[in-house]
Amino acid sequence: ERRTMWARRKWVRAVSVFPVLVIFGLFLFEWYVFNVVFTLTNLAGGAWQGNALAFALMRTACFNATWLLALWSFLSCSLS
């Protein structure tokens, strides 16, 4: 017999969706703050030039790759 992690009561399953949505919202907020507020503001303001620009773009790429893997891991755990 295969056991699943689903709750037997429907209202428990319905309420359990809210923490997943809150954490997903935090993931989206973190992405928005880093990419839009921090990175685009510094790029548009001319704060990064030369080697600092190359380092900033690499840092942004590393952040986005790590962020995507973390989001993928979270969603695969919470939706399976």
Side-chain angles (χ1 to χ4, degrees):
E1 176 179 322
R2 184 171 177 227
R3 301 183 90 184
T4 60
M5 293 181 63
W6 292 100
R8 291 191 175 126
R9 297 182 179 152
K10 288 185 178 184
W11 68 271
V12 173
R13 281 184 278 184
V15 171
S16 298
V17 170
F18 291 113
V20 173
L21 293 177
V22 168
I23 300 298
F24 184 70
L26 288 173
F27 268 100
L28 293 178
F29 176 75
E30 181 183 19
W31 179 89
Y32 176 82
V33 167
F34 184 81
N35 285 301
V36 176
V37 175
F38 177 68
T39 303
L40 289 181
T41 301
N42 285 323
L43 284 175
W48 295 327
Q49 295 178 3
N51 288 339
L53 177 62
F55 179 71
L57 293 177
M58 283 300 295
R59 182 176 52 209
T60 302
C62 288
F63 170 82
N64 284 323
T66 305
W67 180 87
L68 185 62
L69 290 172
L71 179 68
W72 183 11
S73 177
F74 169 72
L75 290 176
S76 67
C77 287
S78 61
L79 299 177
S80 63

